[in-house]
Every structure is written in C-alpha cells, then in structure tokens.
Amino acid sequence: MKLLVVGGAGYVGSTSVERFVEAGHEVTIFDNLSSGHRAAVPRGARLVIGDIADGSRLAAALDGVDAVLHCAARSLVGESMADPGLYYRVNVAGGVSLLESMRAAGVTRLVYSSTAAVYGEPRRVPIAEADRTQPINPYGETKLAFEGAMRWFSAAHDFRAISLRYFNVAGATEMNGEDHDPETHLVPLVLRVAAGEATHVQIFGQDYPTPDGTCIRDFIHVRDLASAHLLALDATGEADPSLEVYNLGSAAGFSVREVVEAARRVTGRAIPARVVKRRTGDPPVLVASSRRARRELGWAPAHSTLEQMVSDAWAWREAHPNGYADAPSDGTGPVAGARVAAGAR
Ligand code: UDP
C-alpha cells in the first residue's frame, strides 16, 4: 500500500512507520516537526514537512495514497488544561482539515491514533469500547470530538475509519524511542534517574485504593502499537463505510511502584523514589479491555511485559543518551537513507 502517516516523526508514528516499511509498504510522513524529530524518520520513508492546517501541502502529499494513519496531535493533559485553544486548533480543526483534504483527494481509508482519555474516569475496569465516554480534560475531549468527525465523514462520504484507543505507551525499537520536551511520562522519568540525570523519582500518591497504594496504568509496548496500526490499516480495506473503535491494552496494568521496581531490576541502579502528593486528575486505575481488537483485528501484544518495555526503553536511552538532539540536522539523522521530499521546508 501507499501510506501517508500524519505525525509520523513522533514516538508512536515513527515506530509505526518502521513497521510499515518492513512490511513492504511505501510510506510518506507528513509532520510539522513541532514535537517530532527529523532524525526519527526511518530509512526508506519519505518526509514532507508541513502542517495539517495547510490544505494544499496535504493535497499534494495525499496524491495516490491508499490509506492514512493520523498520529498528529497535542497529547499532554496538563498543557490541554492550560491552553485548550491549542488543543481545539490542532486536534479538532487540524483533524478536520485532514478529513477535508482526504475527501478532496478521494482517500477514504483512515486509522486514528486515539486515546483512552476519551473515557474520563471509568465506572468500571477493564474499560470496554461501549462504555460511557466523558472526558475530564480538553485533551480527551478534543480526541473524542475528532472521532465524532470521523464517524460523520464515514456516514456522509463513505470513509472506512478505525480509531484505536490506548493509555500508556512505553518501550522503543532500536532506532526510535521516547524523547519529549518537557518529559512528563513515568518510564522516561524513571530512566533519567537511573542514568544519573535526576536525583529521584517522584511517586504521585501512595494512598490510592490499589494493592500497593500507587496508581495502576495500562502500558503497551510501542512495537505492539505499531502492529495494531498495521492490522487496522489492512482492516479498512475490507470494511464497509463506518467508524470502528478498538481499545488496545494489556487488561491487567502495572502500578507506578512496579514500574520503578522493574527499572531497578533492568538497570541495576538504585533509583531513589519519594512519595509526594497526588497529581490532580489521576484516576486510581486505568485499564482497557482489548478483547475486541484481539477478536476482530487479530491483534495480540507480543512485547508488552513490563520487563521488556523498560529494558527496550533503557537500551534506546543508552544508545541515544541525548535523545535525538545529537542527530545531524541534514535530514538523514542516524538513519542514513531517509529522504526529505523536494520542496519540504
Ligand atoms: N507518575 C508518577 N511520577 C512521575 C510521572 C508519573 O508517579 O514522575 C504517575 C502518574 O501519576 C500516573 C502514572 O505515573 O499515575 C502514569 O503517568 P504518565 O504521566 O506517564 O501517563 P498518564 O497515565 O498520565 O498518561
């Protein structure tokens, strides 16, 4: 297939592109590099630098494309609370711009990298797809709003769309890993302490109603997410016009303390931890049921043990101590062979 991966220079996007290229697909990445990295563009993929709000650039990138994976979004809860306008602009208005450009180009197959934040505070866990969606922050609200737009485009314009909802992503491939600025996620912060870049990990609350008192989260390996994206892209080829929603998760979850302990085992470092007060808006347990994805997409996570996720993230860190910062900025990065499209800024 000829695929366009919007937001393909980010953490989830770039690892998915690696998988698509391996599977023999022809991949173009469309990314404004606002949080993605030029050096994350895998060998064999083409990069077009552009913004999803830029209809003419999108139109050119969509020429001849069979299907689109949309991973371009702002994704920090705290930032969304402080600046909701940014989230509506990028996640909703930007997304609708993509849908309109797809419609104009006659491209109707779409997979969306969504979030389980659309559920808000779940009434029960594991969460199923039909459970109530009631986001508690602009991040979840804007992702859900875009799912709504996908649904109506499916009805009006025969889109075959799939939305994948998941919580926490961890791990790395050899080439690509997690490098955010600022970093707010648990696994990379814990590994920063292991690397001696911070003195201790803060554990946000140990008085939750869970076995060890810390929050439980559903982590999936970024490689398993990449496989899910590929299966979903294939599935849009067979489906009738519709929006289908699938949760991706481990169904069990790991506690914050378990993550810290796994990192101590994997790295052999002490990793001091201090319990501090709860972070606002953190529900005690967030775990999704992925039964539907397993049954209908044939997805089976193969790398999502805590040990594997933490050790792959650690290996990537060890190989890239400064993340992507050390990569040359000539468009080849550490991945000689990645191509930057002519005309890209
Ligand atoms: N967390 C923590 N210390 C940190 C960062 C996160 O205790 O320095 C906790 C956080 O409260 C949550 C879990 O780790 O319970 C996962 O948080 P993260 O920000 O990685 O992802 P989220 O679940 O918010 O998407």
Side-chain angles (χ1 to χ4, degrees), residues 75-77 115 117 139 166-169 178 183-190 200-205 208 214-219 254-257 259-260 274 276-284 286:
S75 60
L76 296 176
V77 169
T115 171
Y139 169 55
Y166 49 87
F167 285 114
N168 303 67
V169 188
E178 198 166 4
E183 188 54 79
T184 61
H185 294 109
L186 180 63
V187 172
L189 287 176
V190 169
H200 64 279
V201 183
Q202 294 189 313
I203 294 183
F204 297 144
Y208 285 96
T214 65
C215 288
I216 292 179
R217 290 290 177 275
D218 201 343
F219 288 87
F254 305 105
S255 77
V256 172
R257 269 225 179 270
V259 172
V260 176
R274 275 188 216 155
V276 297
K277 67 176 180 11
R278 291 181 177 194
R279 190 173 69 174
T280 328
D282 269 340
L286 288 177

Side-chain angles (χ1 to χ4, degrees), residues 307-322:
E307 219 76 17
Q308 170 113 48
M309 288 185 281
V310 173
S311 67
D312 287 353
W314 180 240
W316 190 78
R317 247 206 85 98
E318 295 259 271
H320 308 85
N322 298 308

Side-chain angles (χ1 to χ4, degrees), residues 52 128 250 310 344:
I52 44 176
S250 63
V310 173

Side-chain angles (χ1 to χ4, degrees), residues 131-150:
D131 288 358
R132 181 190 65 173
T133 48
Q134 196 170 73
I136 54 169
N137 49 58
Y139 169 55
E141 189 87 68
T142 53
K143 298 288 277 196
L144 186 61
F146 182 70
E147 285 189 0
M150 287 168 77

